[in-house]
Amino acid sequence: MPSITIRNVPEKTHDELAARAAGSGRSLQEYLRAELIALAERPTIDEWIRRVRERKERTETYLSIEAILEARDADRR
């Protein structure tokens, strides 16, 4: 399995990540590994936008801004 080395991490950043790792009961390495895996599994913003556009085209689902705001505010009345 490949390894990654990250140099020049600010001490404040390291301390915060180490505290988060400790708070979750994991070592810093375990914590960062899980975070990197989760990051890699999420689509980029560009990929997410592309998927939304494709889905809208396939389903021909188009809502006006007014319709979206009306639906959002329906329970507030």
Side-chain angles (χ1 to χ4, degrees):
M1 182 177 299
S3 295
I4 296 174
T5 300
I6 301 173
R7 290 179 170 68
N8 302 317
V9 176
E11 188 171 337
K12 185 176 177 180
T13 301
H14 175 274
D15 293 346
E16 176 61 29
L17 293 170
R20 291 181 187 186
S24 68
R26 294 179 282 179
S27 68
L28 181 56
Q29 179 177 330
E30 291 169 327
Y31 177 81
L32 291 176
R33 181 178 180 277
E35 291 295 312
L36 287 171
I37 290 169
L39 176 64
E41 289 174 348
R42 288 194 307 260
T44 64
I45 295 296
D46 290 338
E47 175 64 17
W48 183 82
I49 290 171
R50 184 188 64 75
R51 290 179 190 178
V52 169
R53 287 184 176 147
E54 287 177 357
R55 185 171 47 247
K56 284 176 64 177
E57 289 175 12
R58 275 194 320 271
T59 61
E60 297 182 6
T61 304
Y62 297 95
L63 294 174
S64 68
I65 292 171
E66 292 79 16
I68 293 169
L69 293 176
E70 185 177 321
R72 180 198 70 183
D73 296 336
D75 291 336
R76 296 181 184 180
R77 294 185 185 133

